[in-house]
């Protein structure tokens, strides 16, 4: 195990399962954070999972930080026996690649980019060895993605591509962050894709935009009536490329509150995935077709 424990001030303990993201590290983190939750340790106020780590917030007036650290460490054996099966859902997310709104924004911030002469997609395609932007977009949407974390900005999902490590797309963030990013931008930084849940600053490369709201504090969308945040760790995403006409059609449905995301319930088995990634992905995506 590579687990590291650190204090975060007087009210937090940070547990890092590994120093790099992997699905194995994610499942270990998930198992251990669930164990801390199930232990119902007196004084714990919040447990926040991340890609390959989690953070525990507690009340130091109820439990001393050293005692909290001891109790968390005692649960590490649960991570060693991590459950590798997950009942989850696969969701189809429509994406309008090369849309006019992210294009206008990225052109305003070219001086902060590694390659001011082109677009974010031009740069991403070139450094990943693709002959064209279209080929890069195909690689981005052709295989499913795993939601390993939700946060940083409310409702924002971090998505990890379900392919062999040597096939994963990688794109660095901007040299300097932008002060503006359109709401629902599909972005990319490092090995993670994301959806910007709200408009604001950002440093990820911008590839397109989705018309599907994923964060609604007022919970006006019927599919967000139970909770204002759509995604949760363990969700699986399949991007669906759409054109401007389809974008406008879905947006009209969203505004009329008649839009229903395509979702299928699936079982994800980490051992089966590692043994046959293409076969597992094909089964996951087929579930959407029959849903």
């Amino acid at each position: 195990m590579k687990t590291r424990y650190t204090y975060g001030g007087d009210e937090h303990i940070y547990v890092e399962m590994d120093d790099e993201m992997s699905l194995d590290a994610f499942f270990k983190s998930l198992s251990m954070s669930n164990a801390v939750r199930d232990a119902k340790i007196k004084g714990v106020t919040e447990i926040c999972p991340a890609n390959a780590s989690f953070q525990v917030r507690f009340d130091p007036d109820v439990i001393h930080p050293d005692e909290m650290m001891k109790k968390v460490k005692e649960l590490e054996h649960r991570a060693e026996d991590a459950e590798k099966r997950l009942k989850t859902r696969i969701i189809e997310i429509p994406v309008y690649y090369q849309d006019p709104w992210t294009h206008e924004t990225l052109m305003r911030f070219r001086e902060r980019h590694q390659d001011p002469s082109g677009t974010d997609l031009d740069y991403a395609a070139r450094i990943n060895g693709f002959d064209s932007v279209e080929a890069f977009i195909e690689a981005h949407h052709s295989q499913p993605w795993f939601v390993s974390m939700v946060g940083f900005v409310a409702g924002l999902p971090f998505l990890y591509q379900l392919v062999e490590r040597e096939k994963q797309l990688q794109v660095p963030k901007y040299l300097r962050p932008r002060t503006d990013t359109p709401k629902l931008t599909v972005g990319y930084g490092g090995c993670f894709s994301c959806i910007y849940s709200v408009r604001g600053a950002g440093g990820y490369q911008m590839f397109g935009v989705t018309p599907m709201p994923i964060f609604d504090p007022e919970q006006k969308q019927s599919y967000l009536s139970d909770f204002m945040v759509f995604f949760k760790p363990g969700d699986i995403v399949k991007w669906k490329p759409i054109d401007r006409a389809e974008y406008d059609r879905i947006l009209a449905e969203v505004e009329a509150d008649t839009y229903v995301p395509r979702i299928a319930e699936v079982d994800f088995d980490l051992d089966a995935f590692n043994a046959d990634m293409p076969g597992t992905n094909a089964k996951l995506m087929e579930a959407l077709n029959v849903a």
Side-chain angles (χ1 to χ4, degrees):
M1 292 290 292
K2 302 178 183 179
T3 312
R4 293 190 295 182
Y5 299 84
T6 54
Y7 291 104
D10 296 331
E11 299 181 0
H12 298 87
I13 287 175
Y14 176 65
V15 183
E16 186 177 26
M17 309 310 297
D18 204 333
D19 57 4
E20 64 180 25
M21 170 59 194
S22 70
L23 289 177
D24 288 289
F26 168 83
F27 274 88
K28 289 176 182 177
S29 175
L30 181 66
S31 293
M32 191 172 173
S33 60
N34 285 339
V36 173
R37 183 176 290 105
D38 294 343
K40 300 185 185 303
I41 303 169
K42 189 175 181 180
V44 171
T45 59
E46 188 176 7
I47 300 170
C48 181
N51 296 314
S53 61
F54 67 96
Q55 186 166 266
V56 179
R57 185 180 183 184
F58 59 93
D59 184 348
D61 292 329
V62 175
I63 182 170
H64 190 277
D66 292 343
E67 181 65 17
M68 185 73 241
M69 178 71 81
K70 178 183 175 183
K71 288 184 177 294
V72 171
K73 285 185 175 181
E74 288 173 351
L75 295 168
E76 184 170 327
H77 68 279
R78 295 285 294 272
E80 295 172 354
D81 301 321
E83 175 60 52
K84 296 184 179 181
R85 294 184 179 182
L86 184 68
K87 286 190 176 297
T88 186
R89 57 185 181 166
I90 183 168
I91 307 143
E92 183 179 84
I93 304 295
V95 183
Y96 180 16
Y97 290 98
Q98 296 180 290
D99 66 283
W101 307 286
T102 59
H103 180 77
E104 184 278 330
T105 303
L106 67 87
M107 294 307 293
R108 278 193 282 127
F109 292 96
R110 290 330 283 166
E111 80 283 356
R112 305 186 183 206
H113 196 273
Q114 292 87 346
D115 183 6
S117 65
T119 67
D120 292 6
L121 275 166
D122 291 334
Y123 174 69
R126 177 170 57 80
I127 67 170
N128 280 277
F130 290 91
D131 294 333
S132 66
V133 165
E134 290 71 26
F136 178 85
I137 290 174
E138 171 70 22
H140 186 262
H141 74 71
S142 62
Q143 298 298 325
W145 295 71
F146 193 90
V147 177
S148 57
M149 172 182 165
V150 180
F152 185 70
V153 174
L156 184 151
F158 288 81
L159 302 108
Y160 181 80
Q161 194 172 29
L162 293 176
V163 295
E164 298 89 341
R165 184 165 291 249
E166 60 271 15
K167 292 183 180 179
Q168 287 179 349
L169 306 173
Q170 295 189 53
V171 189
K173 296 189 290 185
Y174 274 43
L175 297 175
R176 290 187 294 128
R178 299 177 303 274
T179 56
D180 189 21
T181 306
K183 179 181 178 181
L184 298 177
T185 288
V186 174
Y188 210 109
C191 66
F192 289 100
S193 202
C194 79
I195 303 173
Y196 283 79
S197 52
V198 297
R199 182 180 182 180
Y204 277 23
Q205 310 286 335
M206 295 184 290
F207 294 167
V209 66
T210 177
M212 176 183 158
I214 61 170
F215 173 62
D216 182 9
E218 298 181 0
Q219 295 178 266
K220 293 180 178 179
Q221 294 297 313
S222 57
Y223 65 87
L224 292 171
S225 60
D226 292 335
F227 191 46
M228 68 179 72
V229 172
F230 180 74
F231 287 107
K232 55 183 178 288
D235 280 342
I236 297 171
V237 164
K238 173 64 177 71
W239 307 113
K240 178 191 177 184
I242 60 173
D243 58 16
R244 177 62 186 268
E246 181 73 356
Y247 176 90
D248 290 342
R249 185 190 67 78
I250 294 174
L251 193 61
E253 291 184 3
V254 167
E255 291 172 350
D257 192 23
T258 59
Y259 180 71
V260 179
R262 290 191 66 200
I263 300 173
E265 300 299 318
V266 294
D267 293 318
F268 183 83
D269 186 313
L270 181 59
D271 288 336
F273 172 75
N274 286 331
D276 181 12
M277 294 185 187
T280 300
N281 287 347
K283 290 178 181 178
L284 289 171
M285 293 185 289
E286 180 60 28
L288 273 176
N289 294 331
V290 299

